[in-house]
Amino acid sequence: GVDLALPGLVAEGVVRQAPNLGWNAVPAAELFAQALRDDGAQLPVGSDNEANSAALAQLWAGAPGGARTFVYLSGDIGVGGAVVLDGELLRGAHGFAGEIGHLVVDPNGPDCRCGSRGCLERYAGQDALLQAAGMDPGDGIAVLARRVADGSGAPGARRARDAVEQAGTMLGIALSGAVNLLDPETVVLGGFYRELADRLAPAAEREL
Ligand SMILES: [Zn+2]
């Protein structure tokens, strides 16, 4: 079969809302199954939020220290989040639990595409991070990671390091709320956070 990992609120095969794709009420699993049938392939198609899928993959592959209760956060265009409690993915009443990227870290912060303001995503998502580093959205995280690793005092390198540390601090603020609420064994940082972990994780830990 096929399982689609989608960046948005997903329930029963339908993407209810994916602000970064501009999708609303898109029956993605059915559309994909139809496209497969058009190509002569009959396969069951499921779908889920991409961070939920990643957290389940992490659980099945073994989370750090064999953790059965953990928070998963991934850096992407936005910030994906998921919660695993006692070896089970936390889904919530409507399947939308774990949207840590839309926890408000600054009520006076910039508008977010979700309709709120000052969400974690506006500081620690890819677009926000590149902007804070004075870079172009097209530059990509690999370029940012190289600048961060550049130990020189060049203004671009300093600004890149400051932007990543700021994102780490904001991650720490959001995570402190999640940690107080959920008491996890560990926090797993995925997506592009892996490439920035050397500078990002210590800033998040300091804030925590
Ligand atoms: Zn938001």
Side-chain angles (χ1 to χ4, degrees), residues 109-188:
D111 289 344
C112 181
R113 272 176 282 203
C114 75
S116 187
R117 187 179 299 131
C119 296
L120 174 62
E121 180 164 310
R122 297 294 281 115
Y123 300 91
Q126 178 172 315
D127 289 352
L129 197 44
L130 290 175
Q131 192 182 21
M135 294 167 63
D136 216 53
D139 284 340
I141 291 298
V143 177
L144 176 65
R146 275 203 299 280
R147 283 199 193 177
V148 169
D150 174 359
S152 79
R158 257 206 320 273
R159 195 164 169 192
R161 288 196 294 272
D162 288 349
V164 171
E165 284 186 5
Q166 162 84 349
T169 299
M170 291 307 197
L171 275 179
I173 291 173
L175 281 171
S176 66
V179 165
N180 276 312
L181 187 66
L182 300 164
D183 183 26
E185 290 163 80
T186 192
V187 173
V188 180

Side-chain angles (χ1 to χ4, degrees), residues 186-205:
T186 192
V187 173
V188 180
L189 299 179
F192 71 68
Y193 291 149
R194 183 174 182 277
E195 291 164 73
L196 302 174
D198 285 353
R199 196 157 288 264
L200 188 85
E205 279 175 315

